[in-house]
Amino acid sequence: MSYTYEKVATPSSGLRLHLNENTAGCSPRVLAALRGLTAEQAAFYPDYTAVSGACAARLQVDPGEVLLTNGLDEGILAAAISALRDRTLTDPQAVVVTPAFDMYAACADAAGARVVEIPMDRDFAFPIEGVLRALGPLTRIVFLTTPHNPTGLEIGRDAVLQIAAAAPQALIFVDEAYADFADETLVGSPDARQFGNIVIGRTYAKAYGLAALRIGALVGAADTLDRIRRVLPPYSLNVCACVALCAALEDTAHYAWYLDQVRISKALLYDAFDRLGVRYWHSAANFVFADFGRDSRCVVDGLAAREVFVRDRSGDPLCSGCVRITAGVVEHTRTCISALQEVLCGAGS
Ligand SMILES: *Cc1c(COP(=O)(O)O)cnc(C)c1O
């Protein structure tokens, strides 16, 4: 079995509602900061003190509890390598709950692990029993996502802590890429701090709109992060990402405005789905997962014909008929809903 990250084709125009990006773009202050870069800043190796400090302050943790990475993707890869590099193990294992973000299995496989996939329970309920049963002495990393991609559902904190307690030999990687949109986070939680094996992943790609600048963060105990830092190049973040993140963190108004757009967009999508008789899941993230059943192919194609791009996940385990739609700028959501109405009203014929 081979695992790869499937890059989807990039449409040259139209509405990109297929990758959960920030559809409003980054704060204008980010562009101003990039324009203000000096020749020396470009010429000298970057120093991460200021940006790490700003990031830790925002997350309300110590600077030593934050490790910035070149996108959360690099954090996932580094965590996998660090957890799986033990040469004394002949068959290290990585546990992944499916459907899942492709990077977990791709990185665990690249790092030489056997990938153990645990399917979600009915209706995408978190399979706590299945995960606990899968844990063993060879388990070296467990990937959890909350809010989950592609469902938008949260994993209860108790489940995460139970897993961390049951597998002290493993790194418990809690991917919180969408936590900005949710009410809950494990960052700073005294419960999570009791477990040195929990590492939380965050990204500035989604809520802050910095996907192309590539910046994410791992949050956890300082000594756990030191072990991960050892497998990273010393300058994996470039200076553009650093100045961009500092500027983005300062623009709290832009951030709050965007979270509000997402909240309204989700409500509009729920409303539309209720009217159209489409099943969906209430999402704690910036997208909504919906089950169009046999119409899914024609919905995805019909929307694409109207230049609205959404993500067909119907090929994923348990996801037959399911489509993921980014909920960003309200105006974009309205355009998507109009197109959806056109497509679905013609679907049965
Ligand atoms: C988008 C996403 C990431 C990747 O974040 P980058 O910072 O862009 O690398 C990681 N995990 C999940 C679940 C995501 O959806």
Side-chain angles (χ1 to χ4, degrees):
M1 176 105 194
S2 87
Y3 300 93
T4 49
Y5 179 87
E6 182 207 341
K7 256 192 197 169
V8 293
T10 306
S12 54
S13 64
L15 268 187
R16 296 170 58 102
L17 305 183
H18 64 312
L19 288 179
N20 304 339
E21 295 152 329
N22 184 318
T23 63
C26 64
S27 155
R29 289 209 211 170
V30 167
L31 299 181
L34 291 171
R35 280 191 212 100
L37 277 171
T38 65
E40 286 75 22
Q41 275 178 296
F44 298 163
Y45 283 104
D47 181 84
Y48 300 137
T49 317
V51 64
S52 295
C55 194
R58 170 57 65 88
L59 292 167
Q60 297 181 290
V61 298
D62 290 340
E65 294 177 300
V66 173
L67 170 58
L68 293 176
T69 55
N70 192 302
L72 179 51
D73 283 350
E74 187 186 56
I76 294 169
L77 178 62
I81 295 171
S82 145
L84 296 163
R85 64 198 281 264
D86 182 351
R87 293 187 194 88
T88 64
L89 281 182
T90 47
D91 187 25
Q93 297 178 7
V95 172
V96 176
V97 176
T98 58
F101 185 55
D102 292 341
M103 280 293 286
Y104 311 142
C107 293
D109 183 59
R114 181 143 64 91
V115 178
V116 177
E117 295 182 301
I118 308 299
M120 287 185 165
D121 289 340
R122 207 184 141 71
D123 228 13
F124 301 115
F126 184 74
I128 181 67
E129 295 305 328
V131 172
L132 290 174
R133 263 198 309 275
L135 302 174
L138 296 172
T139 309
R140 280 299 179 273
I141 189 162
V142 179
F143 289 102
L144 305 173
T145 323
T146 183
H148 193 78
N149 177 6
T151 65
L153 302 176
E154 288 175 285
I155 302 176
R157 160 176 311 216
D158 288 350
V160 176
L161 300 177
Q162 240 181 304
I163 293 164
Q169 76 288 2
L171 191 69
I172 311 304
F173 192 94
V174 185
D175 185 332
E176 286 196 354
Y178 300 98
D180 295 88
F181 308 103
D183 297 327
E184 246 208 342
T185 172
L186 274 184
V187 171
S189 132
D191 293 339
R193 276 206 172 103
Q194 288 177 8
F195 296 98
N197 58 336
I198 293 181
V199 167
I200 302 152
R202 301 290 290 252
T203 177
Y204 299 93
K206 311 280 161 59
Y208 290 89
L210 302 179
L213 287 160
R214 312 304 301 132
I215 189 159
L218 301 182
V219 186
D223 56 338
T224 309
L225 294 186
D226 281 344
R227 284 197 296 278
I228 298 176
R229 190 177 283 110
R230 237 174 271 160
V231 306
L232 282 172
Y235 297 110
S236 73
L237 282 191
N238 75 60
V239 68
C240 297
C242 299
V243 302
L245 181 54
C246 288
L249 289 172
E250 278 168 19
D251 196 350
T252 50
H254 184 82
Y255 174 80
W257 168 79
Y258 193 67
L259 296 195
D260 208 47
Q261 292 285 297
V262 170
R263 190 182 53 73
I264 299 166
S265 282
K266 286 195 289 189
L268 289 171
L269 283 169
Y270 298 157
D271 247 28
F273 291 147
D274 284 335
R275 262 186 292 117
L276 296 164
V278 174
R279 200 162 79 101
Y280 62 92
W281 288 266
H282 278 269
S283 165
N286 67 337
F287 54 82
V288 179
F289 204 47
D291 179 2
F292 291 94
R294 284 184 305 142
D295 293 334
S296 65
R297 190 71 251 162
C298 112
V299 164
V300 172
D301 292 346
L303 289 179
R306 290 163 178 79
E307 298 225 293
V308 176
F309 302 97
V310 297
R311 186 74 187 270
D312 186 358
R313 301 299 306 231
S314 49
D316 284 39
L318 315 175
C319 295
S320 160
C322 292
V323 174
R324 193 190 66 198
I325 303 177
T326 303
V329 174
V330 171
E331 212 40 53
H332 298 164
T333 307
R334 290 192 197 281
T335 305
C336 172
I337 291 170
S338 306
L340 191 59
Q341 274 161 348
E342 278 180 34
V343 172
L344 277 179
C345 298
S349 54

